[in-house]
Each structure stands twice: as C-alpha cells, then as structure tokens.
Amino acid sequence: MARIRRELFPGEVLFRQGDPAGCAWLVESGEVELHAGTGGSARLQGVFGAGELIGELAQLDGAPYRATAVARSDAVLLAIDADQFAERIAASDPIVHALVDSLRTRVRALQEALPRGTPLPLEDQPCDDPEDRAGIEKIRFEAQLREALDTGTLEVHYQPIHDLQAGRIGGYEALVRWKHEALGQVSPADFIRLAEETSLIVPLGEYVLDRAIDVLRGLHRLHGEAVPSVAVNLSARQLVQPGMARQVVARATRAGLPRGALKLEVTESRMLDYGPVAAVMQHCRAHGVPFALDDFGTGYSNLTHLHELEFEYVKVDQAFCRHMLDSRRAMAIVEAIIAMAHGIGAQVIMEGVETREQLAELRRMGVRHAQGWLIGKAQPPEAVLAARPDAFTL
Ligand code: C2E
Ligand code: MG
Ligand code: MG
C-alpha cells in the first residue's frame, strides 16, 4: 500500500479522477478539495478538513476515483488500508453488510444520474455525532498503529521471570510497547485488541516474534545452553493464521536456539476452535516450542482450555496473587489451581508478584516461577542483555 502518512503542499494532487481505486484517506490537518470534471468544466465538490475521510467510496466498491483531490493548504493525511474497512464489513452482521451495500449502490447511482461535476452537498457537512467521532478516532488510532509498525517505532520490552527452584532468572516475557506521539506510552491492553479486530495483528505478532528472537540470539551467545527463555504472547487468532506455526518453528530453528528457549503464551480469546489450535500447538511442541496458558482464572482463560489442550505452563492471573494474603477464598483458589496444574503435569507461573510476603507464600506452596514488579519491570533489550540471570537473589 501507499505510504501511510502523506504531507501535501498547497496545490499538490493526492489522486486524480479516473485513477484506479487506492486507499481512503483521513485528513489529519490542513484542507483538501475534491473537484469533479476536467479542465474548464471542473467543479468544486467539497472541502475536507481534519477528521474527515476522502476516497472511502472508491475503497468500498473498488471503482476508480470519481473526483480529483488537491491540497488547498499544507495538509497531512493518513492512508486507510483497504483491509481496515473490508475486513470489518465482512465480519459485521449480514444486516449491516446489506445496508452498507445498499447505501453504496444508491450513492453511486445518484452520482451517475447527476450532470458531471454536480456537488453533493452532504459531503461538505462536518460530522458532530459523538458515535461517528468515536469511529473516526478509532480509524485514526488504527492507522497510526499501522504507521508505528511500518516505521519500526513499536518497542518490545522484557519482564523477568524468577525460577524459584533454580534460584535465577529463568526467562523473560516479551511485552510490546507503543510510544504514541500525542498519548505517550499506550498499553498493549489498549491496542492489541484493536489490532486483533483485523489482520493487523499478524504483522504485529511477526514483528514482536522477530525482536524476541533477536534478543534470544544475543542471550544464547552470552549464556550458551543456560540461555534464559523468552515467551511471546500470541492470541488464538494469530496462532491459527495459516503458516504461523511453520513461521515460528522456522524462525526459531534458523536462529539455532535450544529447545524451550522460545515459548509462546496463548492469551485470552472469545472462542477457541480447539481442533486447529491443538494441531498448531502439536507442531510447535514437536519442534521444541512449549506453551503457557496466560491469565488463567479470568476472562476466557478457563478450564475447558486446560482440558482440551496441552500446556507446559499455567500462568495464574495477577488478580489471585494480589488478594491471596488477605482473602482466605483467594488463597484457597490459588492452592486449588496449583494442585490442578501440577496434576496435569504443568508448571505454574504466578503473575503480579509485588511483595516478599507473596513470594514466600508461593515458595511454601511449591510454585516454580514468579513474575511481577518484585522480580522486575519490563526492560529494554539492552538491559536484558547486560543482566546476569544467575546472580539474581531475593
Ligand atoms: P499479560 O501477557 O498478562 O502481561 C502481563 C501484564 O501485566 C503486562 O502488562 C505487565 O506489565 C503487567 N504486570 C507485570 N507484573 C506486574 C505487577 O507486579 N503488577 C501489576 N499491576 N502489573 C504487572 P502490559 O505490558 O500492559 O501488557 C498487557 C497485555 O497485553 C499482556 O498481558 C498481553 O495479554 C498483551 N500483550 C502484550 N504484548 C503482546 C504481544 O506482543 N502480542 C499479543 N498478542 N499480546 C500482547
Ligand atoms: Mg502474557
Ligand atoms: Mg498474563
């Protein structure tokens, strides 16, 4: 697709009438005019400012652009990838699908019926419906995320995981970070879900996987066979993407990593289609890539997952650790989860360990791994490569 951010000077043409359909554009700043018709018969159709979309109809039906877009002032625009709209419409309720289709056909028919170049007055109406504004904000946020991925400005940080039995840092969890120019540090909790709504999650996952494998390569050089592991989060949607399992295995193998150095954490998902997920897990496991079930005990991370799929690790959601020392009920649940995980041959990783008292209690209960701010916050790769995992004490 085209560059995601375009900066235009006054008079510069973004696209011309008759050009094959490309992407739609969201105006970030400045103004853009649409002209229909050519030469002396060209007529102004509308002026579009910040927060308005242009070219979206051509994107919806794939027909050539019906007008020429020219910057009226210095202007900045964000490209809206075709998938961004097409995948959402395809995934929407068939009624919404039919309505969009019907509206699109009518607008096109109307455009055909009018003498060439007649302005469509509605196109110039500023939109002030809060729901529409929220939609535009979401479109913008997603385009910016795509741009961050494209320009390599997403960062991956690594949170240490304490292996209580070995008395060292046994591994790290890769956590993606986005430094947004206006919003500052945006939590992955806020943008992963958005990326998961479209196939944007696929390149994002590959990006994180590549960064994590780079770090693992460095760790392997430094620590040889005693290399600490790195766990990468993958949503079920990513996991069942065609070719994903082969990619994971190929990348880990190419990097010459020992078995178990790369791990995958399966994050919550509305529905898990167990058949394909089990097949993918089996393929990865056979090539030395084990799995953790993430955030166990909350949301959709449930007992059926444990029953249907084989996990080497169960990561207990941080809410349980937070409450186990002051709630008898939370403690009883934690004890039961640990017994159950051990019963199915999985190791437990407790998330959200923030105090020494919690850690002592976990040790008493025979928990093998602890992760949380007491052990350390997520760190940039340079810090991970400079750390001495076996010199860790608590
Ligand atoms: P998660 O996989 O359960 O990651 C743990 C989250 O808990 C991280 O938040 C981490 O910073 C936070 N945390 C760790 N220790 C503590 C603690 O002691 N106290 C508290 N209060 N919080 C702690 P973060 O980085 O904001 O990540 C949020 C979620 O975003 C992750 O939850 C994971 O589900 C998702 N995520 C992060 N990176 C990726 C990725 O590359 N791909 C996918 N698919 N999801 C990701
Ligand atoms: Mg995780
Ligand atoms: Mg987790």
Side-chain angles (χ1 to χ4, degrees), residues 173 233 265 294 315:
E173 178 178 1
N233 290 283
E265 293 190 8
D294 206 355
K315 295 194 79 172

Side-chain angles (χ1 to χ4, degrees), residues 1 4 81 83-84 87 142-156 176 191-192 194-212 232-235 237-239 241-244 247-248 251:
M1 73 172 269
I4 294 173
D81 190 80
D83 294 345
Q84 216 172 319
E87 290 184 339
E142 194 171 310
Q144 289 173 339
L145 176 58
R146 210 175 278 277
E147 184 184 30
L149 189 60
D150 202 51
T151 52
T153 47
L154 288 180
E155 289 178 4
V156 182
V176 64
F191 66 85
I192 290 288
L194 183 68
E196 275 180 342
E197 288 179 13
T198 66
S199 48
L200 181 57
I201 191 68
V202 176
L204 197 151
E206 285 168 358
Y207 177 86
V208 175
L209 187 65
D210 283 343
R211 301 285 85 69
V232 172
N233 290 283
L234 283 187
S235 66
R237 172 170 181 155
Q238 289 173 275
L239 205 59
Q241 205 67 34
M244 185 68 195
Q247 287 268 356
V248 168
R251 284 170 203 218

